[in-house]
């Protein structure tokens, strides 16, 4: 069982928008704005999409955005493209000795 | 543009020591924390541990008794050793660069599949 809960899968058609949730607790997402999101294509290196809840690294498309409300962070992808079909996972800082926690990952299918 | 390249044995027997090294190419080595993450088959990513430039380490509590991490700034490399492996340590292992302020990992290697089997 992962520390952070994500839906197992989501699907949508090209051009549509989707949101992926990442639910934690007051120990992690609810207290710290240290949530990051990654895209992972099979057999490739994961790519950082969002850090500190809503900040986008240079070079990452503005189709990707992040937000947080309470214990739940969200990644929104607008204008879906075929290349967006991948696994997405969230990561957060958590109080305690194991201070880096991940979500279980969400498989995005672009129909 | 910085790239990470990792190497190490991919097939181990129970009780062996897992040994992986990650090389950092094309960018600064200082000012970052260097991390290890793994993904067991069909399961979520799991933070394994990290080492900073001074050699200070932090690791997953359940692995602490078996884990050794080190860094060699002169070679721009960092390493992971995990002793007494079992089938539960079978996973794809990734090394990554962690930004100290945001604790996000902005550069990752492609990963090494490590299988523990008798």
């Amino acid at each position: 069982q992962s520390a952070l809960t994500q839906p197992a899968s989501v699907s949508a058609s090209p051009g549509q928008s989707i949101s992926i949730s990442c639910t934690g607790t007051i120990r992690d997402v609810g207290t710290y704005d240290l949530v990051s999101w990654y895209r992972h294509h099979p057999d490739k290196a994961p790519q950082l999409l969002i850090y500190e809840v809503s900040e986008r690294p240079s070079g990452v498309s503005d189709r990707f955005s992040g937000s947080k409300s309470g214990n739940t962070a969200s990644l929104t992808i607008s204008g879906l493209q075929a290349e967006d079909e991948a696994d997405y996972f969230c990561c957060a800082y958590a109080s305690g000795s194991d201070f880096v926690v991940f979500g279980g990952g969400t498989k995005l299918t672009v129909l | 543009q910085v790239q990470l390249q990792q190497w190490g044995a991919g097939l181990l027997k129970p009780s062996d020591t897992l040994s992986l090294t990650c090389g950092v190419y094309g960018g600064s080595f200082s000012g970052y924390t260097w991390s290890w993450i793994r993904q067991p088959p069909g399961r979520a990513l799991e933070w394994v541990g990290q080492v900073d430039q001074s050699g200070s380490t932090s690791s997953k509590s359940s692995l602490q008794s078996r884990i050794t991490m080190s860094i060699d700034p002169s070679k721009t490399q960092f390493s992971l050793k995990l002793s007494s492996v079992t089938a539960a340590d079978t996973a794809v292992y990734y090394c990554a660069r962690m930004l100290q302020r945001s604790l996000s990992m902005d550069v990752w290697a492609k990963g090494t599949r490590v299988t523990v089997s008798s």
Side-chain angles (χ1 to χ4, degrees):
Chain A
Q1 187 175 356
S2 304
L4 306 176
T5 300
Q6 297 181 232
S9 62
V10 62
S11 61
S13 300
Q16 291 187 323
S17 297
I18 60 98
S19 288
I20 300 172
S21 60
C22 171
T23 300
T25 69
I26 199 71
R27 288 183 57 245
D28 38 63
V29 176
T31 296
Y32 307 101
D33 287 338
L34 295 175
V35 178
S36 52
W37 288 92
Y38 305 83
R39 179 171 68 178
H40 189 197
H41 289 111
D43 298 322
K44 291 192 174 181
Q47 178 193 8
L48 175 65
L49 300 174
I50 297 288
Y51 66 96
E52 293 179 1
V53 174
S54 59
E55 299 297 314
R56 213 171 28 250
S58 61
V60 173
S61 171
D62 60 4
R63 298 186 300 108
F64 297 94
S65 61
S67 62
K68 189 183 86 167
S69 177
N71 294 340
T72 298
S74 297
L75 172 72
T76 298
I77 309 173
S78 59
L80 274 176
Q81 301 175 359
E83 68 189 45
D84 296 328
E85 184 161 296
D87 292 324
Y88 292 80
F89 54 92
C90 59
C91 179
Y93 172 81
S95 58
S97 56
D98 293 352
F99 53 83
V100 179
V101 292
F102 285 95
T106 299
K107 181 175 179 59
L108 169 62
T109 300
V110 180
L111 302 170
Chain B
Q1 184 175 353
V2 64
Q3 291 186 332
L4 302 186
Q5 195 166 35
Q6 61 183 98
W7 61 89
L11 181 60
L12 300 173
K13 295 186 184 305
S15 80
D16 281 350
T17 294
L18 179 156
S19 181
L20 296 173
T21 299
C22 187
V24 181
Y25 305 99
S28 173
F29 196 67
S30 61
Y32 298 98
T33 298
W34 303 96
S35 304
W36 293 97
I37 301 98
R38 69 182 184 181
Q39 186 169 30
R43 294 176 57 184
L45 288 162
E46 179 180 76
W47 175 71
V48 172
Q50 59 194 53
V51 56
D52 67 21
Q53 193 188 359
S54 71
S56 176
T57 62
S58 301
S59 60
K60 186 175 177 64
S61 54
S62 62
L63 301 176
Q64 273 182 357
S65 63
R66 298 192 289 129
I67 199 168
T68 303
M69 290 175 288
S70 61
I71 193 167
D72 187 342
S74 67
K75 295 183 179 179
T76 64
Q77 293 176 359
F78 59 106
S79 297
L80 168 71
K81 292 187 188 298
L82 184 66
S83 64
S84 304
V85 296
T86 69
D89 296 310
T90 293
V92 177
Y93 286 75
Y94 298 92
C95 60
R97 185 177 78 172
M98 178 181 277
L99 303 176
Q100 292 177 344
R101 170 182 150 169
S102 66
L103 299 184
S104 60
M105 287 154 276
D106 68 332
V107 184
W108 295 63
K110 289 184 179 180
T112 297
R113 188 174 304 276
V114 176
T115 301
V116 180
S117 175
S118 56

